[in-house]
Amino acid sequence: MPRRVEFNQIGGPEVLRIVEAEIPEPAAGEVRIAVKAIGLNRAESMYRTGTYIIDPVFPARLGSEAAGIVDAVGPGVEGLAPGDRVAVVPAFSYHDYGMYGDLVLAPARAVAKLPDALGWTDAAAVWMAYVTAWGALIDTAGLGAGETVLIPAASSSVGLAAIQVANRVGAVPVALTRTSAKASVLREQGAAHVIATGEADLVAEVGRITGGTGARVVFDPVGGPGFARLAAATATRGMLIVYGALDPRETPLPVGQVLGRSLTVRGYLMYEATQDDAKLAAAKAFVLDGLASGALRPRIDRTFPFEQIVEAHRYLEANGQVGKIVVTV
């Protein structure tokens, strides 16, 4: 009997349970996938604890990112067939599908065929991070050659993806991290500059790097009181993109900075790209081309077996990783 992860109440990692569940034949527009690896994401921890943008509906499933082999296809599905190596792009609600399982259903539009050279672990680590970075930096902000982008929480999987996406278009990625402990790894991953925000004056350092103009784009998953400093480090007519709220404290709107330098403050969710067929196709092409050329390479921090999903979530919440946590099935 296939297994999947469910939870019946909000709470810590211990609420997660592996249960046996019958997985039906795929309906129209769906595929069924024998999963080999699952990528973990911060949103899944937030959904489990009731702090995500939607509330869980019990029994709740989890997971939006997986890689595996197509087991069956539903009516009307074209371009995919049993035996294909694929990955699932996060392009659906947790209310509708969950990828934490060894046999799962997914909407065919959210499935991408994999290059033969891409292993299961890497394939499960790609899509949330790179599509989020592409959608915010390229599609929304129009980041281009020579422009500076600030990347808070740069050691996260999305942060590392943003560094690589910025480099791919010739921009200047400036990685922000609380201490200098991860600075060498961030430089190895392609950061042009690293600022330890707990040890240096962020605004002064960005001014030095940019010759006093500030960063044209800020890509922030944190929010909280530190947002005002990010605004102060942004260039006139620059854009601050907020794609997360890791700091639970109130996020101030620095009105003086926003008005005085005509700043744009913009919320962003990856689903802006994945719910639009044309943007989803463009994102898939950008990521697959980048993987083929070597410009995009996910960094795997640690893997866990499926049976240790609780431990994997505990590790996710410890915030010590540099890159992606992947669960193998």
Side-chain angles (χ1 to χ4, degrees):
M1 179 78 74
R3 302 169 299 164
R4 71 183 182 196
V5 174
E6 293 182 354
F7 63 103
N8 286 289
Q9 65 186 73
I10 62 173
E14 67 278 359
V15 303
L16 299 178
R17 295 284 185 269
I18 296 176
V19 301
E20 293 185 344
E22 194 72 45
I23 308 301
E25 292 292 317
E30 291 183 334
V31 299
R32 193 169 62 189
I33 299 169
V35 174
K36 300 296 185 181
I38 302 161
L40 300 195
N41 294 289
R42 179 66 56 183
E44 289 144 24
S45 171
M46 297 175 71
Y47 185 63
R48 193 200 69 233
T49 57
T51 57
Y52 191 51
I53 56 175
I54 57 173
D55 294 326
V57 176
F58 303 120
R61 295 168 294 176
L62 269 179
S64 57
E65 206 170 12
I69 300 171
V70 173
D71 169 78
V73 300
V77 172
E78 298 179 356
L80 294 169
D84 285 346
R85 300 175 71 255
V86 297
V88 180
V89 182
F92 45 83
S93 170
Y94 295 142
H95 290 172
D96 299 325
Y97 297 94
M99 296 300 114
Y100 285 17
D102 46 25
L103 189 67
V104 301
L105 294 173
R109 67 179 298 275
V111 174
K113 285 188 179 180
L114 296 176
D116 290 338
L118 191 66
W120 297 123
T121 301
D122 283 353
V126 166
W127 297 97
M128 176 69 82
Y130 288 110
V131 174
T132 300
W134 174 87
L137 299 183
I138 308 304
D139 185 54
T140 300
L143 185 70
E147 295 184 323
T148 300
V149 54
L150 301 187
I151 306 172
S155 59
S156 69
S157 58
V158 178
L160 296 180
I163 291 170
Q164 294 178 16
V165 168
N167 280 327
R168 191 172 179 216
V169 298
V172 181
V174 178
L176 307 187
T177 183
R178 283 178 294 178
T179 73
S180 54
K182 298 176 181 177
S184 61
V185 175
L186 291 170
R187 291 191 182 94
E188 289 170 6
Q189 292 296 306
H193 306 274
V194 179
I195 301 174
T197 57
E199 303 170 7
D201 184 323
L202 170 64
V203 178
E205 283 297 296
V206 173
R208 180 185 63 79
I209 291 166
T210 62
T213 62
R216 215 274 287 174
V217 179
V218 176
F219 184 47
D220 181 36
V222 181
F227 188 74
R229 288 192 301 160
L230 293 175
T234 305
T236 297
R237 291 182 293 281
M239 177 179 287
L240 296 101
I241 298 175
V242 182
Y243 72 99
L246 295 179
D247 191 326
R249 295 174 292 177
E250 286 292 323
T251 300
L253 179 66
V255 175
Q257 300 282 358
V258 172
L259 291 177
R261 285 181 290 112
S262 302
L263 304 181
T264 298
V265 178
R266 169 74 151 78
Y268 181 79
L269 291 175
M270 181 198 61
Y271 299 108
E272 292 183 39
T274 59
Q275 290 177 351
D276 180 295
D277 287 343
K279 290 184 179 184
L280 178 58
K284 287 180 180 179
F286 182 93
V287 174
L288 290 171
D289 287 349
L291 292 170
S293 71
L296 305 182
R297 290 175 311 186
R299 186 184 194 277
I300 309 303
D301 180 272
R302 185 172 171 182
T303 63
F304 290 82
F306 184 70
E307 294 75 16
Q308 293 181 11
I309 190 63
V310 171
E311 291 80 359
H313 264 242
R314 288 197 179 110
Y315 185 72
L316 173 70
E317 293 187 342
N319 295 321
Q321 75 269 20
V322 180
K324 193 79 168 183
I325 301 167
V326 174
V327 170
T328 58
V329 182

